[in-house]
């Protein structure tokens, strides 16, 4: 590489060369930093530590994009571009129960009085590099003292006075040649108590500079099929902190990720503050290759284990008794009936604790100032005179693990996070409870986000990574689908027959749409008691009671099934579902190990739809998983077609042997047509089949 400038200050410390896997590497030599593995490589010009991308290579497909013009990847000022005091440190990070081992490169530099730390993570056999950015110091003098007229601020990267404004710097950017770049921005919504349309895609031919919202930005060169993606590791766009301009910008071949999620006033002189992160990945070919590359990275964020992460959970809140029923005798009774269903986890929601929340049906409570009552998070002595031990003991005997609901104390940006953490740690050590539904969160500031992360991290450290969290996504400002993913799974939505907002195809549709971009196995998906509140639905064709109980369960199988109900309210006929649940348990882990993607048409109540799990040995795949096998989970909704052609992700022209493992389909051998279409049949409406397939 031609030397483009003189390196003023460079300090490189290599703690351990290479990576635990030999394919990962990171080297700084002269003015060039290179980070890569067997699948991709990114070369940077050092620039005093404020790195400038020189090239991005897809090594598997032998394609390299060279930068069209050198610009700092992290861009916060038009006047100050070169870093000072740059240092580089490379170290192996050993595997834990949370993540596999990876190679970590820490680049630290300054822009005036602002210190920046960029931490790059790269995993073996993964076509993506993640970058976590931390800031410390002040930013006023980075921009000088001149106040610019608002009419002159045409480009959001040229922000002048940042003291009380959002730091809308560029987190990362790539600038390549070419006029025929195609892009797709994908925006997400949580706050699912209010939103029932959770994904939107926008297809773009890049032209003049425009802003786009979303957490994902896929880019592909129309000339040669060479592509890359940005993943912004942040909450959903509509609830992000300090970001009003958009998440991505594109101008011909220049692509930028914007929005740090922090204001100038939130920076600290002596403490590193973590901003929103960015992941850059490469792919070549079509949509399947792009989605597989993305999923490869996502499966590395949190390792997925059969005994820890798989669950068929029951939580009684779905029957709207709230905290009126929960006590020792009720829980013991529910456990007996849960065992008859085949449930693996029983979670006691709000009401087990002495303190009362605002959702209490028996008292007026609050989420604020929880620690004014030192006994708030102790088991209610009237409801549980012997504590939770009898519940845990009986559950263990029945093969059911006990989980709890928990609401961190939200006031003053989670200022009491240490007390909250000690409570969870104490419950783990006292009762062995390791799964907590985290509810009631509100993340209005970067400090709140930082304290919440401290809470989660302390619990994991003190329990040796045994505790996991079900992160509620139903209300307020929370982590969404692309932040806090290392801590557990996502409790997606509250739906109730009482309010007539539970329709099986709505639930299936939300899972189907999210599964393209979010690992389905990380989403808790509800099924309800279809016999409750039948009169409220009347003769609606999509009312829950129009479906079999088995079908309701089947709509959740691509995710983590959640029985959102009281088992004591179920009629005897409901317990025949146990046969299906026991069969599902045998394939649940293997099904979830693959890359799960939607197939067929979007669920509408009248569609043929489903999921395909492509076994590809990503993450912790099972030994039986390979690129020529997987699962097809197919649903026939309420339509008149006994058979149809359904689009899959199978390669055109391949012969596939399909063996039914769940549901009511027959064995078949099919040849995939254009767009992977195969012919499938189900004789009954509102029915399903899961096939294990093998490419001949």
């Amino acid at each position: 590489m031609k030397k483009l400038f003189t390196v003023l200050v460079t300090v490189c410390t290599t703690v351990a060369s290479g990576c635990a896997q030999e394919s990962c590497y990171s080297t700084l030599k002269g003015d060039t930093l290179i980070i890569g593995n067997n699948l991709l490589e990114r070369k940077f010009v050092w620039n005093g530590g404020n790195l400038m991308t020189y090239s991005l290579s897809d090594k598997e497909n032998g394609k390299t994009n060279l930068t069209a013009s050198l610009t700092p990847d992290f861009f916060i000022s038009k006047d100050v571009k070169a870093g000072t005091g740059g240092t580089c440190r490379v170290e192996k990070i050993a595997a834990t129960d949370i993540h596999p081992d990876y190679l970590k490169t820490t680049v630290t530099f300054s822009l005036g009085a602002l210190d920046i730390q960029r931490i790059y993570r790269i995993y073996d056999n993964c076509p993506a590099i993640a970058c976590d950015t931390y800031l410390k110091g002040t930013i006023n003098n980075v921009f000088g003292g001149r106040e610019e007229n608002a009419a002159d601020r045409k480009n959001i990267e040229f922000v002048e006075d940042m003291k009380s404004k959002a730091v809308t710097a560029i987190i990362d950017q790539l600038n390549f040649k070419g006029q025929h770049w195609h892009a797709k921005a994908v925006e997400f919504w949580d706050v699912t108590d209010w939103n029932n349309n959770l994904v939107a895609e926008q297809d773009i031919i890049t032209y003049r500079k425009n802003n786009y919202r979303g957490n994902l930005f896929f880019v592909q060169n129309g000339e040669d099929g060479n592509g890359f993606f940005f993943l912004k590791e942040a909450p959903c766009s509509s609830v992000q902190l300090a970001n009003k301009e958009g998440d991505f910008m594109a101008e011909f071949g220049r692509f930028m990720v914007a929005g740090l999620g922090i204001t100038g006033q939130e920076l600290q002189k002596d403490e590193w503050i973590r901003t929103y992160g960015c992941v850059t990945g490469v792919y070549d070919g079509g949509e399947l290759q792009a989605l597989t590359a993305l999923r490869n990275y996502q499966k590395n964020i949190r390792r997925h284990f059969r005994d820890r992460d798989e669950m068929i959970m029951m939580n009684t809140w779905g029957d709207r008794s709230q905290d009126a029923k929960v006590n020792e005798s009720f829980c013991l009774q529910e456990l007996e009936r849960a065992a008859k269903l085949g449930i693996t986890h029983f979670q006691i929601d709000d009401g087990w604790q002495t303190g009362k929340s605002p959702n209490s049906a028996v008292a007026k409570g609050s989420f604020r100032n929880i620690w004014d009552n030192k006994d708030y998070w102790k088991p209610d002595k009237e409801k549980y005179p012997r504590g939770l031990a009898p519940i845990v003991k009986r559950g263990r005997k029945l093969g059911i693990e006990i989980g709890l609901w928990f609401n961190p104390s939200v006031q003053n940006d989670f200022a009491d996070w240490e007390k909250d953490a000690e409570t969870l740690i104490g419950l783990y050590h006292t009762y062995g409870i390791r799964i907590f539904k985290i509810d009631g969160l509100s993340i209005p500031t970067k400090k709140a986000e930082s304290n919440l992360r401290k809470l989660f991290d302390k619990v994991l450290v003190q329990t040796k990574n045994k505790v996991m969290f079900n992160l509620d996504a139903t209300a307020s400002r929370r982590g969404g689908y692309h932040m806090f993913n290392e801590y557990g799974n996502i409790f997606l939505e509250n739906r109730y027959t009482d309010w007539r907002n539970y329709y099986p195809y709505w639930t299936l549709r939300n899972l189907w749409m999210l599964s393209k971009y979010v690992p389905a196995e990380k989403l808790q998906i509800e099924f309800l008691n279809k016999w409750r509140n039948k009169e409220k639905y009347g003769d609606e064709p999509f009312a829950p009671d129009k479906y079999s109980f088995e079908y309701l369960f089947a709509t959740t199988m691509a995710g983590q099934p959640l029985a959102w109900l009281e088992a004591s309210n179920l009629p005897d006929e409901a317990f025949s579902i146990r046969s299906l649940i026991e069969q599902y348990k045998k394939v649940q882990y293997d099904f979830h190990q693959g890359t799960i993607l939607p197939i067929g048409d979007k669920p509408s109540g009248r569609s043929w739809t489903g999921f395909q799990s492509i076994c590809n040995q990503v993450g912790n795949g099972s030994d039986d998983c390979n690129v020529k096998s997987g699962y097809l989970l197919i649903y026939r909704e309420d339509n008149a077609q006994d058979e149809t052609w359904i689009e899959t992700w199978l390669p055109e022209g391949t012969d596939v042997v399909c063996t039914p493992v769940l549901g009511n389909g027959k064995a078949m051998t099919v040849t995939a047509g254009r767009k992977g279409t195969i012919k499938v049949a189900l004789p009954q409406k509102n029915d399903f089949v899961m096939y294990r397939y093998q490419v001949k």
Side-chain angles (χ1 to χ4, degrees):
M1 185 191 301
K2 183 179 179 181
K3 189 167 184 176
L4 299 174
F5 57 88
T6 301
V7 178
L8 298 177
V9 181
T10 302
V11 180
C12 183
T13 303
T14 303
V15 175
S17 61
C19 166
Q21 303 93 352
E22 294 181 359
S23 75
C24 297
Y25 55 89
S26 179
T27 59
L28 175 61
K29 186 175 182 181
D31 71 345
T32 305
L33 174 67
I34 304 175
I35 301 176
N37 62 15
N38 56 318
L39 296 181
L40 87 162
E41 181 178 273
R42 190 169 180 177
K43 290 185 180 180
F44 306 89
V45 175
W46 179 246
N47 193 30
N50 195 12
L51 302 178
M52 302 187 292
T53 293
Y54 177 84
S55 64
L56 181 66
S57 298
D58 179 346
K59 295 170 71 173
E60 186 174 35
N61 297 294
K63 294 184 177 180
T64 296
N65 279 307
L66 299 176
T67 191
S69 62
L70 286 171
T71 304
D73 299 338
F74 180 82
F75 192 65
I76 202 167
S77 169
K78 64 181 179 181
D79 299 320
V80 184
K81 295 184 178 180
T84 59
T87 64
C88 177
R89 179 182 175 89
V90 180
E91 56 188 314
K92 297 177 185 177
I93 303 299
T96 69
D97 285 345
I98 303 299
H99 59 76
D101 43 14
Y102 63 89
L103 191 65
K104 174 181 175 182
T105 303
T106 303
V107 175
T108 306
F109 62 98
S110 299
L111 295 174
L114 178 66
D115 297 330
I116 299 102
Q117 190 172 84
R118 305 266 278 173
I119 299 177
Y120 297 86
R121 292 177 282 115
I122 187 167
Y123 304 88
D124 183 60
N125 201 36
C126 176
I129 301 174
C131 181
D132 304 318
T133 299
Y134 295 78
L135 303 179
K136 181 174 67 172
T138 62
I139 62 178
N140 275 8
N141 62 351
V142 175
F143 305 97
R146 181 171 57 90
E147 175 63 25
E148 194 172 283
N149 188 289
D152 296 324
R153 295 194 193 114
K154 296 177 181 179
N155 302 313
I156 72 169
E157 67 267 28
F158 297 154
V159 178
E160 296 296 333
D161 183 7
M162 305 293 287
K163 186 173 182 180
S164 61
K165 294 181 174 63
V167 183
T168 47
I170 303 302
I171 304 173
D172 204 353
Q173 63 177 304
L174 296 170
N175 188 5
F176 300 136
K177 296 178 181 179
Q179 293 288 102
H180 302 285
W181 292 94
H182 300 254
K184 179 168 67 174
V186 187
E187 185 175 1
F188 301 84
W189 285 265
D190 53 1
V191 193
T192 56
D193 277 357
W194 295 95
N195 293 316
N196 202 38
N197 298 281
L198 309 182
V199 182
E201 302 171 346
Q202 183 180 5
D203 289 318
I204 304 152
I205 293 179
T206 61
Y207 189 55
R208 303 295 181 189
K209 184 179 289 184
N210 280 295
N211 298 342
Y212 305 95
R213 284 159 56 107
N215 290 91
L216 281 165
F217 203 67
F218 295 93
V219 182
Q220 191 163 31
N221 192 331
E223 296 182 45
D224 62 6
N226 186 20
F228 66 90
F229 68 84
F230 286 132
L231 166 63
K232 185 176 180 182
E233 295 190 298
C236 300
S237 302
S238 59
V239 300
Q240 282 181 26
L241 301 175
N243 184 24
K244 298 180 180 179
E245 304 292 341
D247 301 288
F248 306 104
M249 289 180 288
E251 183 179 24
F252 297 106
R254 186 182 180 195
F255 307 95
M256 293 157 277
V257 186
L260 293 168
I262 190 171
T263 66
Q265 289 178 325
E266 292 178 304
L267 290 177
Q268 302 293 317
K269 291 185 178 180
D270 301 316
E271 179 183 353
W272 288 110
I273 304 297
R274 181 171 175 169
T275 72
Y276 295 149
C278 181
V279 181
T280 305
V282 298
Y283 67 94
D284 183 71
E287 188 175 34
L288 176 60
Q289 288 72 29
L291 296 175
T292 302
L294 169 66
R295 192 59 46 85
N296 185 319
Y297 169 75
Q298 290 171 321
K299 283 181 174 285
N300 278 293
I301 298 173
R302 178 180 172 85
R303 303 174 73 184
H304 192 86
F305 295 115
R306 184 194 305 269
D307 294 337
R308 181 188 68 185
D309 296 282
E310 296 292 356
M311 57 188 67
I312 302 170
M313 180 175 282
M314 189 173 82
N315 182 312
T316 65
W317 196 268
D319 277 11
R320 298 300 304 157
S321 294
Q322 297 165 276
D323 61 344
K325 288 186 178 180
V326 287
N327 57 34
E328 180 179 309
S329 61
F330 173 78
C331 290
L332 291 173
Q333 175 182 299
E334 287 292 293
L335 281 173
E336 299 299 325
R337 296 178 74 84
K340 289 176 61 178
L341 286 170
I343 297 296
T344 62
H345 294 73
F346 176 69
Q347 192 168 61
I348 310 174
D349 212 293
D350 186 3
W352 64 268
Q353 75 281 9
T354 298
K356 303 303 178 194
S357 84
N359 295 323
S360 173
V362 299
K364 294 291 184 180
S366 173
F367 285 150
R368 302 192 64 82
N369 301 315
I370 283 176
W371 287 104
D372 287 351
N373 177 0
K374 62 182 178 60
D375 295 327
Y376 193 103
W377 289 116
K378 293 180 180 179
D380 188 311
K381 291 182 179 180
E382 292 186 9
K383 294 182 176 184
Y384 300 93
R386 297 183 291 171
L388 299 176
I391 314 298
V392 173
K393 181 179 179 181
R394 185 56 184 162
R396 188 175 294 119
K397 188 170 183 179
L398 293 170
I400 298 175
E401 185 171 351
I402 305 301
L404 291 177
W405 172 91
F406 187 81
N407 189 111
S409 189
V410 298
Q411 74 276 356
N412 302 322
D413 298 323
F414 301 107
D416 290 320
W417 68 268
E418 290 184 275
K419 295 178 182 177
D420 293 334
E422 290 295 340
T423 295
L424 297 173
I425 294 164
L427 288 165
Y428 170 76
H429 287 303
T430 301
Y431 298 110
I433 293 173
R434 64 172 190 90
I435 299 179
F436 296 93
K437 178 184 176 185
I438 302 299
D439 201 356
L441 297 183
S442 180
I443 308 176
T445 65
K446 182 58 67 171
K447 184 177 181 180
E449 180 189 303
S450 298
N451 283 341
L452 189 60
R453 195 180 288 277
K454 290 176 183 177
L455 189 166
F456 293 151
D457 287 341
K458 179 170 183 174
V459 172
L460 291 187
V461 168
Q462 294 296 317
T463 64
K464 298 182 179 179
N465 295 321
K466 299 302 182 184
V467 163
M468 69 175 292
F469 302 108
N470 311 130
L471 298 173
D472 186 288
T474 64
S476 193
R477 292 180 181 268
R478 298 178 184 175
Y481 308 106
H482 303 285
M483 193 173 80
F484 297 145
N485 302 104
E486 63 268 41
Y487 298 120
N489 59 26
I490 298 170
F491 178 96
L492 183 62
E493 58 190 20
N494 297 312
R495 296 294 183 262
Y496 304 103
T497 59
D498 308 69
W499 299 344
R500 225 178 80 208
N501 68 348
Y502 172 61
Y503 293 94
Y505 87 85
W506 284 8
T507 294
L508 183 60
R509 179 178 181 268
N510 285 339
L511 176 59
W512 189 92
M513 294 182 71
L514 283 169
S515 68
K516 195 173 184 179
Y517 305 111
V518 178
E521 68 273 13
K522 303 299 184 184
L523 300 170
Q524 286 190 294
I525 305 298
E526 80 286 355
F527 68 103
L528 274 68
N529 180 347
K530 76 187 191 81
W531 294 274
R532 287 186 74 244
N533 299 310
K534 291 172 59 174
E535 70 286 353
K536 293 188 177 183
Y537 289 87
D539 293 329
E540 287 189 58
F542 305 121
D545 71 293
K546 297 296 193 294
Y547 302 82
S548 70
F549 202 38
E550 287 78 9
Y551 184 86
L552 298 192
F553 176 80
T555 61
T556 73
M557 292 195 302
Q560 297 294 335
L562 174 67
W564 191 230
L565 52 83
E566 296 176 23
S568 55
N569 286 338
L570 292 172
D572 290 342
E573 63 183 288
F575 293 89
S576 63
I577 198 177
R578 177 175 181 136
S579 175
L580 171 61
I581 291 178
E582 293 300 329
Q583 293 172 32
Y584 170 71
K585 289 177 185 177
K586 297 176 182 178
V587 299
Q588 181 181 17
Y589 177 72
D590 203 42
F591 181 86
H592 285 155
Q593 288 306 105
T595 296
I596 300 173
L597 297 173
I599 60 173
D601 294 325
K602 186 185 300 181
S604 67
R606 303 290 192 193
S607 304
W608 279 85
T609 187
F611 303 92
Q612 181 175 348
S613 174
I614 305 167
C615 291
N616 48 19
Q617 294 184 313
V618 171
N620 304 293
S622 75
D623 294 336
D624 296 330
C625 229
N626 61 71
V627 294
K628 294 184 178 181
S629 67
Y631 294 87
L632 296 167
L633 176 54
I634 298 167
Y635 306 88
R636 175 189 171 184
E637 295 187 303
D638 187 356
N639 61 66
Q641 300 168 276
D642 291 343
E643 59 182 20
T644 194
W645 292 91
I646 189 169
E647 288 186 11
T648 72
W649 301 95
L650 293 167
E652 182 178 352
T654 55
D655 295 324
V656 183
V657 177
C658 298
T659 304
V661 293
L662 296 174
N664 298 308
K666 295 182 179 179
M668 61 182 187
T669 299
V670 295
T671 301
R674 183 174 177 271
K675 294 187 176 181
T677 54
I678 61 172
K679 195 172 187 179
V680 296
L682 282 169
Q684 302 295 325
K685 297 178 181 180
N686 295 327
D687 205 357
F688 73 98
V689 59
M690 180 188 283
Y691 288 108
R692 180 182 286 115
Y693 73 81
Q694 183 76 36
V695 176
K696 293 178 67 175

